[in-house]
Amino acid sequence: MGIHRIGLVVPSSNVTVETEMPALLGQHADAQFSFHSSRMRMQAVSPEQLRAMNAQRERCILELGDAGVDAILYACLVALMSVGPGEHQRVEGLVAEQLATGGSEAAVRSSAGALIEALRAIGARRIVLVTPYLRPLAEQVVAYIEAEGIQVHDWRALEVADNAEVGCIPGERVMDAARSLDLQGVDALVISACVQMPSLPLVQAAEDEFGLPVLSAATAGAYSLLRALDLPVDIPGAGSLLRADAPAAARQ
């Protein structure tokens, strides 16, 4: 069984995705993975720092191309969604073009695109979500998702600007925010629209509590990477999204 090399482009102050992605994909029954990160400098989740961070993308892609990765995840959702509708498609295209120039055929995904892909995969047309962002950035995330044809019925912004602090938000605070949402007529809950806000212990528990599909930027990223690598999507204990290819009896 070969090892699939996953490249992660992450903000320098992020720690969560490099913990949660190996924890998720490490449970895959049929594949093994290694993880290789390149970092873009960013400490505060502000429009200015997000722009400066995105300008470092090409260096990161060069570094990951040198590692011979099989797939790359641009792991900062708000960095792309804050630019405006369609940005994930533009950036994924630019990264693929840059990789091809260097002779790499690595699959390219982004946290922003993965969330949209995952919501469409489960047929979600009306959702609720929890974000860690300051309200103006959260509004941009909501507008981005709605521009993709998915209605955001209700949402919460925890208004944490310091990105290191985002990685320490207690799960109970996230769950309290989720419990305050209006779930009437919604198809799915995005419990964490940010790969830095910890979500892994929450997804299955929230799905059990609320009785509807629950996903996060992390589980959506794992889903998208598995699809990109043409691997079965069957990871237990992290929500129904990641049981898409599980035998019907195992999904109960």
Side-chain angles (χ1 to χ4, degrees):
M1 179 164 54
I3 294 179
H4 301 274
R5 295 180 187 168
I6 306 296
L8 299 171
V9 181
V10 296
S12 57
S13 47
N14 273 31
V15 293
T16 306
V17 70
E18 291 155 302
T19 304
E20 294 194 340
M21 202 59 66
L24 283 167
L25 295 181
Q27 296 183 71
H28 200 283
D30 303 321
Q32 291 183 319
F33 302 87
S34 63
F35 298 87
H36 313 276
S37 299
S38 184
R39 313 187 86 75
M40 308 173 288
R41 196 81 201 280
M42 190 268 274
Q43 293 171 293
V45 191
S46 67
E48 298 75 23
Q49 287 208 24
L50 288 170
R51 277 194 296 272
M53 183 188 75
N54 283 334
Q56 302 166 57
R57 182 187 72 239
E58 290 188 10
R59 170 188 58 78
C60 293
I61 300 307
L62 282 172
E63 291 177 1
L64 293 174
D66 290 347
V69 296
D70 300 303
I72 285 178
L73 180 69
Y74 194 90
C76 185
L77 180 142
V78 72
L80 300 189
M81 288 196 177
S82 65
V83 176
E87 182 68 2
H88 73 274
Q89 293 163 317
R90 188 184 78 86
V91 168
E92 288 173 14
L94 289 172
V95 170
E97 190 177 308
Q98 183 183 346
L99 287 166
T101 302
S104 169
E105 297 180 356
V108 179
R109 296 293 186 270
S110 66
S111 296
L115 184 61
I116 302 300
E117 178 187 357
L119 288 168
R120 287 186 176 146
I122 62 173
R125 304 183 66 173
R126 178 179 162 100
I127 68 164
V128 291
L129 78 159
V130 180
T131 81
Y133 311 122
L134 297 177
R135 191 171 183 86
L137 281 175
E139 288 170 346
Q140 289 177 305
V141 169
V142 169
Y144 193 100
I145 293 169
E146 294 203 318
E148 294 286 338
I150 299 165
Q151 181 191 353
V152 180
H153 172 62
D154 198 7
W155 56 278
R156 296 290 179 269
L158 300 183
E159 303 219 61
V160 179
D162 182 271
N163 199 44
E165 190 182 332
V166 170
C168 302
I169 294 174
E172 200 53 36
R173 184 178 176 195
V174 181
M175 288 295 286
D176 284 346
R179 291 180 185 116
S180 75
L181 291 163
D182 176 10
L183 303 179
Q184 188 68 35
V186 303
D187 303 313
L189 160 64
V190 179
I191 193 95
S192 174
C194 173
V195 292
Q196 171 70 340
M197 186 163 79
S199 68
L200 219 50
L202 310 179
V203 174
Q204 189 65 56
E207 193 161 288
D208 295 342
E209 177 176 335
F210 299 121
L212 78 167
V214 175
L215 61 158
S216 70
T219 63
Y223 175 89
S224 187
L225 286 169
L226 290 171
R227 286 284 182 246
L229 294 168
D230 200 25
L231 292 168
V233 177
D234 184 5
I235 293 172
S240 52
L241 170 71
L242 290 178
R243 304 310 304 274
D245 298 330
R251 290 184 222 156
Q252 302 306 316

